[in-house]
Amino acid sequence: MMLSSYVTFLLISSLFTIIFCGNIEHTVLRGVPTSLHSKYVPSKNFSCLDGSSTIPFEFVNDDYCDCRDGSDEPGTSACPNGQFFCENKGYIGTLIPSHLVGDGVCDCCDGSDEYETTIVCNNTCFELAQKTKAEREAKQALHEAGVIKKKEIIATSVVTKATRQTRLIELEQDLRKLEYELKGKEELKQQAEIPENEAKGKHQKLWEEQRAVREAIARDNQMREMFADLDTNNDSLVSIEELQKHTELDTDHENEFTAEEVRSILGADSVNFDEFNVTVFEQISNSYQKLPQISIETPVNQDDLAATTEAHLKQEEEEEEESAAATEGDYEEDLSHHEASTHVATSLDHGKHIHDDTVPEYDDETKRLIETADHARNEYNEVERKVHDIKRQIDDLKRQSDVDVGIHGEYSAFIDQCYDYEEREYTYRICMFKDAKQIPKGGGSEVTIGYWDSWCGPTDNKYLRMKYANGATCWNGPARSLTVTFRCGIEHKTVDVREPTRCEYAMLFETPSACDETIAIASVHPDHEEF
Ligand SMILES: *[C@@H]1O[C@H](CO)[C@@H](O)[C@H](O)[C@H]1NC(C)=O
Ligand SMILES: *[C@@H]1O[C@H](CO)[C@@H](O)[C@H](O)[C@H]1NC(C)=O
Ligand SMILES: *[C@@H]1O[C@H](CO)[C@@H](O)[C@H](O)[C@H]1NC(C)=O
Ligand SMILES: *[C@@H]1O[C@H](CO)[C@@H](O)[C@H](O)[C@H]1NC(C)=O
Ligand SMILES: [Ca+2]
Ligand SMILES: [Ca+2]
Ligand SMILES: [Ca+2]
């Protein structure tokens, strides 16, 4: 582990700066990096590399720590902070902490850290070099193949972008035309609707007037009949005694229907026809019930009365149904009409049709006007639908061209694409530049783990990562979010999903779009073949 991390460090930082010399056999210079040989001159006193002190050269590598920075003991483990240089001939020279020198474990691939121990280290530098080379070549091959695909994506992106632009211009022209057409259609619609509304209004008003007349007549008939019924002694007056028989008019059902209560309805001891019409009828018409004929002469017990009334009502309902069936051809049957009529029928026969609310059929002229207006409306709606459709297309195109698909459009293949990743418990679905979801495999509701937010790679490689934020809130926690990291691959595919911190998901995604031209080109660079 230690070795490989140093290898990496040196690969990155000083691949070209390390000069390899073939024959450093001076044990005094053991562990000294080649680049620092000029500082270690046996004929001179040694100055610690940090300048803290100067010591005789014999103190270098004498297994006693003299310099604060450990620079006098590169070849021993005397200084805790010393650094030993493995020459690693055939591979890459590396620095290791000097406490690893002579610890019985081979840390340098050339075994030079164990020169004093009895351990014989196998020199693995050659194999390491082979392995590293193979790995690097594989990586280069991958990037090479990926870059070919990436270039195709970029080429397609250029074409798509141009097509999109052309289409956008076309659509915007179409939209202007259609909006102009729509304006015309709207005017036509309004023009057609004016006479239509007038005719409909006229028709409605006429019908309402007729209905009002019909209702007034019905009311008068009811009222007249009720007065005649009530005036049992035919003296053209309704007296307290006459009304008192109608106990159904008693509003508080606790006590009897007293003379006082009846007087308060009549407003006097008796009322004539006109007074009845103006002051009494409205008060009692809803509750009033005709007394059965026998009840006038002989008092009857309550049960009989109830039974008679019930039979009477039933008969009325039946009659009502018959009459409704009979009028079906003239009026559209509807529920409210039927209910209203039945209700009225409980008070008086003549009330049957006063709440009939069905508007009669329009006359031919009105029908023609409605037809014309309908036609104008349909034409308007048709154009309006087209306008909506074009606007939606324009929005889609604009949305697509607004997406940041990389400097050269290398991520353009992601537009409107979704990718699934199957895991044991969940399917993770990422819809690029839109959202990411976690879908339970055993059923249950899917959870949005983030909505497209931004590219969030480091400043020198912004397109390395993307962020999906503001997902569904965790129970008792923050909103879910997802970071996608891209790496070079031949296909677009998710290769790993994790939740390293609660509610913060991490996805690793392979795509040719992330392949690197410089790595691909490096394979033909001869300098890299040597160590
Ligand atoms: C080394 O340093 C000592 C005293 O610190 C001095 O006497 C000696 O001359 C120096 N030797 C060299 C080679 O400079
Ligand atoms: C060196 O390699 C041989 C066989 O290849 C192995 O038996 C031996 O243990 C190795 N020595 C060390 C120190 O790893
Ligand atoms: C009142 O007149 C009606 C018919 O007009 C009649 O049937 C009834 O018997 C008369 N009642 C009395 C009490 O005269
Ligand atoms: C009853 O009174 C109304 C006014 O409230 C009136 O229009 C109607 O003609 C009167 N009916 C009779 C039959 O007098
Ligand atoms: Ca020393
Ligand atoms: Ca060691
Ligand atoms: Ca009377």
Side-chain angles (χ1 to χ4, degrees), residues 169-446:
I169 291 165
E170 278 170 19
L171 285 173
E172 272 166 352
Q173 277 172 359
D174 289 355
L175 180 65
R176 274 195 294 278
K177 265 187 233 154
L178 276 171
E179 277 177 337
Y180 182 76
E181 196 185 334
L182 185 68
K183 230 172 142 189
K185 295 287 180 197
E186 191 176 13
E187 270 165 29
L188 288 177
K189 181 176 82 111
Q190 283 168 349
Q191 277 167 21
E193 279 174 342
I194 292 167
E196 181 204 27
N197 286 335
E198 265 172 17
K200 273 174 139 181
K202 220 188 266 171
H203 177 86
Q204 177 79 15
K205 202 170 158 228
L206 188 68
W207 172 69
E208 274 169 8
E209 279 168 8
Q210 284 169 353
R211 189 177 60 172
V213 169
R214 230 174 32 236
E215 282 176 7
I217 292 168
R219 179 196 174 277
D220 271 2
N221 288 342
Q222 272 187 67
M223 190 271 296
R224 211 172 266 120
E225 190 181 327
M226 201 184 284
F227 186 85
D229 285 344
L230 284 168
D231 182 14
T232 41
N233 66 357
N234 292 354
D235 68 347
S236 297
L237 292 171
V238 171
S239 64
I240 287 174
E241 295 72 34
E242 282 166 339
L243 192 61
Q244 204 167 13
K245 290 175 202 143
H246 288 264
T247 51
E248 77 273 10
L249 300 176
D250 190 4
T251 44
D252 59 51
H253 299 281
E254 283 160 21
N255 47 23
E256 278 173 27
F257 198 28
T258 63
E260 258 327 292
E261 284 170 335
V262 179
R263 182 177 290 114
S264 81
I265 293 174
L266 292 179
D269 286 346
S270 62
V271 291
N272 65 19
F273 180 76
D274 285 340
E275 288 164 344
F276 179 80
N277 177 26
V278 174
T279 64
V280 182
F281 176 69
E282 301 294 350
Q283 289 184 64
I284 65 171
S285 63
N286 282 335
S287 319
Y288 181 82
Q289 280 171 8
K290 217 170 170 177
L291 292 178
Q293 288 305 308
I294 35 163
S295 71
I296 300 165
E297 265 80 38
T298 49
V300 288
N301 73 37
Q302 283 303 110
D303 285 351
D304 280 356
L305 183 62
T308 318
T309 313
E310 208 170 87
H312 185 67
L313 289 180
K314 206 166 174 192
Q315 188 199 343
E316 279 190 346
E317 267 170 40
E318 277 162 10
E319 276 172 11
E320 167 59 25
E321 271 161 26
E322 274 166 29
S323 85
T327 56
E328 219 163 358
D330 304 331
Y331 297 100
E332 262 184 60
E333 253 274 77
D334 89 14
L335 203 61
S336 64
H337 152 71
H338 189 254
E339 279 172 357
S341 313
T342 311
H343 173 73
V344 174
T346 60
S347 31
L348 268 178
D349 287 354
H350 289 283
K352 268 181 193 172
H353 291 292
I354 65 164
H355 288 295
D356 187 341
D357 265 343
T358 315
V359 189
E361 222 181 279
Y362 291 116
D363 57 277
D364 289 349
E365 173 62 6
T366 309
K367 274 186 193 164
R368 199 184 56 72
L369 289 171
I370 292 173
E371 214 170 274
T372 310
D374 277 347
H375 182 69
R377 270 189 289 270
N378 287 343
E379 290 212 324
Y380 172 81
N381 291 342
E382 175 74 6
V383 178
E384 198 187 33
R385 198 184 49 70
K386 280 188 196 156
V387 167
H388 269 289
D389 188 52
I390 286 200
K391 277 186 176 165
R392 194 183 44 72
Q393 286 186 51
I394 289 175
D395 283 351
D396 277 358
L397 287 177
K398 280 189 173 161
R399 184 180 51 76
Q400 288 172 359
S401 40
D402 282 351
V403 172
D404 180 356
V405 287
I407 298 168
H408 306 290
E410 62 271 26
Y411 285 99
S412 61
F414 281 167
I415 284 182
D416 290 340
Q417 293 297 312
C418 298
Y419 304 92
D420 280 3
Y421 176 70
E422 305 291 340
E423 191 233 42
R424 204 165 49 83
E425 242 181 297
Y426 303 105
T427 298
Y428 287 92
R429 176 168 302 157
I430 180 162
C431 292
M432 295 294 181
F433 306 116
K434 189 165 171 265
D435 58 22
K437 290 193 166 93
Q438 183 192 51
I439 305 159
K441 284 189 160 173
S445 53
E446 53 184 44

Side-chain angles (χ1 to χ4, degrees), residues 465-520:
R465 295 200 176 91
M466 47 164 68
K467 178 114 187 146
Y468 291 77
N470 295 316
T473 311
C474 277
W475 189 77
N476 247 346
R480 289 176 177 79
S481 65
L482 168 73
T483 304
V484 185
T485 303
F486 293 102
R487 81 171 180 207
C488 177
I490 300 301
E491 304 293 333
H492 302 290
K493 66 167 192 260
T494 303
V495 289
D496 190 36
V497 178
R498 278 154 206 246
E499 194 182 348
T501 349
R502 199 165 85 89
C503 312
E504 288 176 21
Y505 296 81
M507 179 183 281
L508 184 59
F509 195 98
E510 280 186 359
T511 168
S513 310
C515 294
D516 189 336
E517 288 85 344
T518 57
I519 295 174

